[in-house]
Amino acid sequence: EKQSVQTQHFNELQDSHQQLEDFAYIISHDLKEPLRKLHQCSIFLNEEYTHQLQGRGLTCLENIQTHSGRMDTLVDSLLHYSQLGNIPLQHENIPLNALITNIHTSLSQDFLQEHVTLRIPQPLPSIEGDLITVENIFRNLLKNAFQYNDKPTPWIEVGYQTPSDSLIFYIRDNGIGIPVSQHKTIFQIFRRVSSQAHT
């Protein structure tokens, strides 16, 4: 009977995983084409009408190009996530200093907050890992630090410690923080702490 229950759970997991793959494929197929057209239109505008734009207009056009490219990458990441059980992770050397700096620059443009200071107390090491996965982890953490900060001079600090010959990375900021009572909630998939919890 125990083996029968385990088999049932295994089959349910297989079905769920297949549904995730199907969902990711449909979403990527439906999003890729309009994203491609949006990016092509932004390139055309950049080539033909840049001389007529200035200031805010030029910045918006640059943001369209940047964000449409970023969205295309996110769609690929969704497909990558749905296939994690089927394909091996791509291990490569990842220079974290460059990665974190690029993410910070991108988020500064996303949130129109050029004044968010990035602190790196000591040069970050290069690590071996799957670039898409590592980038998504740091991007999500830094994005939260950008999004939930009401200070006049916001800052974000990215560093690491080396206890027992291991690397432990951390991200600190002077934002609103998360109450201790909500710490378990943030690790539940597709769950978000309410705005009231940040006050």
Side-chain angles (χ1 to χ4, degrees):
E1 183 178 352
K2 182 178 180 180
Q3 185 175 3
S4 176
V5 172
Q6 290 176 339
T7 301
Q8 181 182 353
H9 288 168
F10 178 76
N11 291 335
E12 290 174 352
L13 286 173
Q14 279 192 318
D15 290 341
S16 297
H17 184 72
Q18 185 60 51
Q19 291 174 11
L20 175 62
E21 285 191 6
D22 294 342
F23 170 76
Y25 177 79
I26 293 171
I27 291 297
S28 65
H29 181 270
D30 290 344
L31 287 179
K32 279 283 190 179
E33 185 59 28
L35 278 174
R36 188 178 298 111
K37 290 182 178 179
L38 177 64
H39 193 66
Q40 289 173 346
C41 286
S42 67
I43 292 175
F44 170 77
L45 291 173
N46 188 49
E47 292 176 346
E48 300 294 331
Y49 295 98
T50 299
H51 62 283
Q52 298 183 26
L53 297 173
Q54 57 181 349
R56 179 67 173 170
L58 190 59
T59 299
C60 287
L61 179 57
E62 292 174 349
N63 284 340
I64 290 173
Q65 288 184 283
T66 299
H67 299 324
S68 59
R70 173 62 187 158
M71 188 64 187
D72 187 67
T73 301
L74 288 174
V75 172
D76 289 338
S77 297
L78 176 62
L79 276 175
H80 177 80
Y81 177 77
S82 70
Q83 297 170 350
L84 283 179
N86 299 329
I87 59 175
L89 297 176
Q90 301 298 315
H91 287 272
E92 58 184 290
N93 183 267
I94 305 173
L96 288 182
N97 271 323
L99 179 67
I100 297 301
T101 300
N102 289 339
I103 293 174
H104 176 262
T105 300
S106 174
L107 290 174
S108 296
Q109 296 172 353
D110 289 349
F111 289 93
L112 300 178
Q113 295 182 20
E114 302 288 345
H115 61 291
V116 178
T117 301
L118 174 63
R119 300 178 179 178
I120 302 180
Q122 56 181 325
L124 298 172
S126 294
I127 63 172
E128 293 290 326
D130 182 76
L131 177 59
I132 293 178
T133 302
V134 172
E135 180 177 2
N136 283 339
I137 290 172
F138 278 106
R139 180 175 292 276
N140 287 333
L141 292 172
L142 289 172
K143 181 180 178 181
N144 285 339
F146 264 82
Q147 192 170 358
Y148 300 108
N149 197 315
D150 56 355
K151 300 299 188 296
T153 55
W155 54 263
I156 301 172
E157 179 178 302
V158 181
Y160 69 98
Q161 300 171 347
T162 55
S164 303
D165 297 325
S166 61
L167 288 175
I168 297 179
F169 294 95
Y170 68 83
I171 294 179
R172 297 177 180 143
D173 63 79
N174 64 337
I176 57 182
I178 300 175
V180 175
S181 61
Q182 297 287 341
H183 282 185
K184 291 184 179 180
T185 303
I186 63 176
F187 293 104
Q188 298 175 15
I189 190 169
F190 301 133
R191 290 289 302 276
R192 176 175 295 181
V193 178
S194 66
S195 58
Q196 293 179 347
H198 292 277
T199 58

